[in-house]
């Protein structure tokens, strides 16, 4: 009986993971396509920002230190904390989905901008800059999002509608998931501060050669 009762829950969890992942991917595609909607002046401004960033990298201005690490860690942690708070409110579930979509848009826009300006070399540069921290950060955000939605659905079904069930166990599970994802987020911040700068120093000459010929 216990195994049978768990099967629908596992199926619901899998459905949520698929839905949230697809929503993120749609956001990535939308963000990449959004680059084409920019005006010529906006595209030129973005290209200028990228060139200045590359010059900073080549000049060694991109430093890895404790302050920058905690800045990035706090930036990611605030995103995770927001999802956790929205999950607690129950009515914030649609906003959790909106944040997942927005995260995809930001990633897609960053990659799309580099690819549009620098073709395949821009893709390599995006793999060196955007991909490494997000390999940890994105799954962490998707996992905590599913946990937040699952908690909200539990509250709706078992407390608001059914008027039975305890909140302590689901709340502890939700908060524990958030704590574990926070550890992963800290790891993503470490990659962004200590690994990504090394990759950028390697990839910057590729873009610098292209931008010099523009």
């Amino acid at each position: 009986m216990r195994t049978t009762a768990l099967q629908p829950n596992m199926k619901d969890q899998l459905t949520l993971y698929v839905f949230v992942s697809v929503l993120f991917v749609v956001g990535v595609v939308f963000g990449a396509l959004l680059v084409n909607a920019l005006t010529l002046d906006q595209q030129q401004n973005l290209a200028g920002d990228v060139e200045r960033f590359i010059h900073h990298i080549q000049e060694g201005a991109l430093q890895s230190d404790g302050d920058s690490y905690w800045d990035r860690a706090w930036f990611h942690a605030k995103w995770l904390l927001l999802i956790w708070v929205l999950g607690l409110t129950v009515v914030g579930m649609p906003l959790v989905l909106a944040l997942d979509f927005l995260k995809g848009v930001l990633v897609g826009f960053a990659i799309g901008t580099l690819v549009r300006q620098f073709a395949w070399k821009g893709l390599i540069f995006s793999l060196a800059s955007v991909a490494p921290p997000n390999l940890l950060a994105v799954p962490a955000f998707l996992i905590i999002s599913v946990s937040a939605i699952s908690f909200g659905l539990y509250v709706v079904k078992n407390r608001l509608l059914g008027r039975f069930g305890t909140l302590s166990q689901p709340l502890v599970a939700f908060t524990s998931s958030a704590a574990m994802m926070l550890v992963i987020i800290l790891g993503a911040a470490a990659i962004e501060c200590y690994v990504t700068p090394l990759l950028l120093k390697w990839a910057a000459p590729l873009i610098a050669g292209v931008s010099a010929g523009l």
Side-chain angles (χ1 to χ4, degrees):
M1 290 294 293
R2 189 170 183 178
T3 303
T4 305
L6 285 175
Q7 287 177 348
N9 183 48
M10 294 174 62
K11 183 178 179 180
D12 291 342
Q13 288 282 95
L14 179 60
T15 301
L16 285 176
Y17 275 113
V18 171
F19 179 74
V20 170
S21 299
V22 170
L23 186 64
F24 172 78
V25 172
V26 171
V28 172
V29 174
F30 181 82
L33 295 177
L34 190 62
V35 178
N36 297 323
L38 298 177
T39 64
L40 181 60
D41 289 340
Q42 290 173 328
Q43 293 178 12
Q44 290 176 342
N45 289 335
L46 281 176
D49 292 337
V50 172
E51 290 178 18
R52 285 189 291 272
F53 179 63
I54 293 170
H55 289 320
H56 286 318
I57 295 173
Q58 293 180 315
E59 292 172 359
L62 194 63
Q63 299 295 332
S64 300
D65 53 40
D67 291 339
S68 61
Y69 167 75
W70 288 112
D71 287 341
R72 299 312 301 168
W74 176 235
F75 172 80
H76 292 305
K78 285 189 293 186
W79 195 290
L80 186 144
L81 180 62
L82 179 58
I83 293 177
W84 180 73
V85 171
L86 290 174
L88 291 179
T89 63
V90 180
V91 294
M93 286 189 292
L95 294 179
V96 171
L97 297 176
L99 286 176
D100 293 331
F101 179 78
L102 177 60
K103 184 66 175 178
V105 171
L106 295 175
V107 172
F109 185 81
I111 296 175
T113 299
L114 292 169
V115 172
R116 181 175 178 81
Q117 295 294 332
F118 307 109
W120 66 271
K121 292 184 177 181
L123 179 60
I124 294 177
F125 190 79
S126 67
L127 291 176
S129 58
V130 180
N134 281 300
L135 288 177
L136 289 180
V138 169
F141 289 135
L142 296 184
I143 290 172
I144 190 59
S145 296
V146 170
S147 183
I149 296 171
S150 298
F151 177 76
L153 291 176
Y154 175 87
V155 173
V156 171
K157 292 179 181 178
N158 297 286
R159 296 302 295 269
L160 300 182
L161 298 181
R163 299 291 181 181
F164 65 88
T166 176
L167 282 180
S168 59
Q169 185 175 354
L171 179 59
V172 169
F174 177 34
T175 304
S176 299
S177 296
M180 289 187 290
M181 293 308 104
L182 178 60
V183 174
I184 296 177
I185 288 300
L186 295 178
I191 292 176
E192 188 171 0
C193 288
Y194 300 109
V195 177
T196 300
L198 300 177
L199 296 176
L200 289 177
K201 289 180 181 178
W202 168 80
L206 293 174
I207 304 299
V210 175
S211 62
L214 291 178

